[in-house]
Coordinates of all heavy atoms in Angstrom, one line a residue:
V38 N -10.1 7.7 -8.2 CA -9.6 6.5 -7.6 C -10.7 5.4 -7.6 O -11.8 5.7 -7.4 CB -9.3 6.9 -6.0 CG1 -8.1 7.7 -6.0 CG2 -10.5 7.6 -5.4
V39 N -10.2 4.2 -7.8 CA -11.1 3.1 -7.7 C -10.6 2.4 -6.4 O -9.4 1.9 -6.3 CB -10.9 2.2 -9.0 CG1 -11.8 0.9 -8.8 CG2 -11.3 2.9 -10.2
I40 N -11.4 2.1 -5.5 CA -11.1 1.6 -4.3 C -11.8 0.2 -4.0 O -13.0 -0.1 -4.5 CB -11.5 2.5 -3.1 CG1 -13.1 2.8 -3.0 CG2 -10.8 3.7 -3.1 CD1 -13.5 3.5 -1.8
C41 N -11.2 -0.8 -3.4 CA -11.6 -2.0 -3.2 C -11.4 -2.6 -1.8 O -10.5 -2.3 -1.2 CB -11.2 -3.1 -4.3 SG -9.4 -3.6 -4.0
S42 N -12.2 -3.6 -1.5 CA -12.1 -4.3 -0.3 C -13.0 -5.5 -0.5 O -13.8 -5.6 -1.5 CB -12.7 -3.4 0.9 OG -12.5 -4.2 2.1
R43 N -12.9 -6.5 0.4 CA -13.7 -7.7 0.3 C -15.2 -7.6 0.5 O -15.9 -8.4 0.2 CB -13.0 -8.7 1.2 CG -11.8 -9.4 0.7 CD -11.2 -10.3 1.7 NE -10.7 -9.7 2.9 CZ -10.2 -10.3 4.0 NH1 -10.1 -11.5 4.0 NH2 -9.8 -9.6 4.9
E44 N -15.5 -6.5 1.2 CA -17.0 -6.2 1.5 C -17.3 -4.9 1.0 O -16.7 -3.8 1.3 CB -17.2 -6.1 3.0 CG -16.7 -7.5 3.8 CD -17.8 -8.6 3.4 OE1 -18.9 -8.3 3.0 OE2 -17.4 -9.8 3.6
Q45 N -18.4 -4.9 0.1 CA -18.8 -3.7 -0.5 C -19.3 -2.6 0.5 O -19.1 -1.5 0.3 CB -20.0 -4.0 -1.5 CG -20.4 -2.9 -2.3 CD -19.6 -2.5 -3.4 OE1 -18.9 -3.4 -4.1 NE2 -19.3 -1.3 -3.8
D46 N -20.0 -3.1 1.5 CA -20.5 -2.2 2.6 C -19.4 -1.4 3.2 O -19.7 -0.4 3.9 CB -21.3 -3.0 3.6 CG -22.6 -3.6 3.0 OD1 -22.9 -3.0 2.0 OD2 -23.1 -4.4 3.7
N47 N -18.2 -1.9 3.2 CA -17.1 -1.2 3.9 C -16.5 -0.1 3.0 O -15.9 0.8 3.6 CB -16.0 -2.3 4.2 CG -16.4 -3.2 5.3 OD1 -17.4 -2.9 6.1 ND2 -15.8 -4.3 5.4
I48 N -16.6 -0.2 1.7 CA -16.0 0.9 0.8 C -17.1 1.8 0.4 O -16.7 2.9 -0.1 CB -15.1 0.2 -0.3 CG1 -16.0 -0.9 -1.0 CG2 -13.9 -0.4 0.2 CD1 -15.4 -1.6 -2.2
D49 N -18.3 1.5 0.3 CA -19.3 2.4 -0.2 C -19.2 3.7 0.6 O -19.3 4.9 -0.1 CB -20.7 1.8 -0.1 CG -20.9 0.8 -1.3 OD1 -20.3 0.9 -2.3 OD2 -21.9 0.0 -1.2
P50 N -19.2 3.7 1.9 CA -19.0 5.1 2.6 C -17.9 5.8 2.2 O -18.0 7.1 2.2 CB -19.1 4.6 3.9 CG -19.7 3.2 4.2 CD -19.2 2.5 2.8
V51 N -16.7 5.1 2.0 CA -15.5 5.8 1.6 C -15.6 6.5 0.3 O -15.3 7.6 0.1 CB -14.3 4.8 1.6 CG1 -13.0 5.6 1.2 CG2 -14.3 4.1 2.9
A52 N -16.1 5.9 -0.6 CA -16.4 6.4 -2.0 C -17.4 7.6 -2.0 O -17.2 8.6 -2.6 CB -16.8 5.4 -3.0
A53 N -18.5 7.3 -1.2 CA -19.4 8.5 -1.2 C -18.9 9.7 -0.4 O -19.1 10.8 -0.8 CB -20.7 7.9 -0.3
G54 N -18.0 9.5 0.6 CA -17.4 10.6 1.2 C -16.4 11.3 0.2 O -16.4 12.5 0.4
I55 N -15.8 10.7 -0.6 CA -14.8 11.4 -1.7 C -15.8 12.1 -2.6 O -15.4 13.3 -2.9 CB -14.0 10.3 -2.2 CG1 -12.9 9.8 -1.2 CG2 -13.2 10.9 -3.4 CD1 -12.1 8.5 -1.8
T56 N -16.7 11.3 -3.1 CA -17.5 11.9 -4.3 C -18.4 13.1 -3.7 O -18.5 14.1 -4.4 CB -18.4 10.9 -4.9 OG1 -17.6 9.8 -5.4 CG2 -19.3 11.5 -5.9
G57 N -18.8 13.0 -2.5 CA -19.6 14.1 -1.9 C -18.8 15.3 -1.3 O -19.4 16.2 -0.8
S58 N -17.6 15.2 -1.4 CA -16.8 16.3 -0.8 C -16.4 17.3 -1.9 O -16.8 17.2 -3.0 CB -15.6 15.7 -0.1 OG -14.6 15.2 -1.1
D59 N -15.5 18.1 -1.5 CA -15.0 19.2 -2.6 C -13.8 18.7 -3.3 O -13.1 19.4 -3.8 CB -14.7 20.6 -1.8 CG -13.8 20.4 -0.8 OD1 -13.3 19.4 -0.4 OD2 -13.5 21.6 -0.1
R60 N -13.4 17.4 -3.0 CA -12.2 16.9 -3.6 C -12.4 16.8 -5.1 O -13.5 16.4 -5.6 CB -11.8 15.5 -3.1 CG -11.5 15.5 -1.6 CD -11.2 14.1 -1.1 NE -10.8 13.9 0.1 CZ -11.8 13.6 1.2 NH1 -13.0 13.4 0.8 NH2 -11.3 13.5 2.5
P61 N -11.4 17.2 -5.9 CA -11.8 17.1 -7.4 C -11.7 15.8 -8.1 O -12.4 15.7 -9.2 CB -10.6 18.0 -8.0 CG -9.5 17.9 -6.9 CD -10.2 17.8 -5.6
G62 N -11.2 14.9 -7.4 CA -11.2 13.5 -7.9 C -12.5 12.8 -7.6 O -13.2 13.0 -6.7
E63 N -12.8 11.8 -8.5 CA -13.9 10.9 -8.3 C -13.6 9.6 -7.8 O -12.5 9.2 -7.8 CB -14.8 10.8 -9.7 CG -15.1 12.0 -10.3 CD -15.9 11.6 -11.7 OE1 -16.2 10.5 -11.9 OE2 -16.2 12.7 -12.4
A64 N -14.5 8.9 -7.2 CA -14.3 7.6 -6.6 C -15.4 6.6 -7.0 O -16.5 6.8 -7.2 CB -14.4 7.7 -5.0
L65 N -14.8 5.4 -7.2 CA -15.6 4.2 -7.6 C -15.2 3.1 -6.7 O -14.1 2.7 -6.5 CB -15.4 3.7 -9.0 CG -16.0 2.6 -9.6 CD1 -17.5 2.8 -9.6 CD2 -15.4 2.2 -11.0
A66 N -16.3 2.5 -6.0 CA -16.0 1.4 -5.1 C -16.5 0.0 -5.8 O -17.5 -0.1 -6.2 CB -16.9 1.7 -3.9
I67 N -15.5 -0.8 -5.7 CA -15.7 -2.1 -6.3 C -15.4 -3.2 -5.3 O -14.2 -3.3 -4.8 CB -14.9 -2.3 -7.6 CG1 -15.4 -1.3 -8.6 CG2 -15.1 -3.7 -8.1 CD1 -14.6 -1.3 -9.9
E68 N -16.2 -4.2 -5.0 CA -15.9 -5.2 -4.1 C -15.0 -6.2 -4.8 O -15.2 -6.6 -6.0 CB -17.2 -5.9 -3.7 CG -16.9 -7.3 -2.8 CD -18.4 -7.8 -2.4 OE1 -19.3 -7.2 -2.1 OE2 -18.4 -9.1 -2.5

Side-chain angles (χ1 to χ4, degrees):
V38 292
V39 177
I40 59 175
C41 78
S42 181
R43 286 176 290 180
E44 299 292 337
Q45 189 72 39
D46 290 344
N47 291 338
I48 48 174
D49 280 340
V51 180
I55 292 173
T56 302
S58 69
D59 58 359
R60 298 179 181 91
E63 297 181 15
L65 175 65
I67 298 178
E68 181 177 318

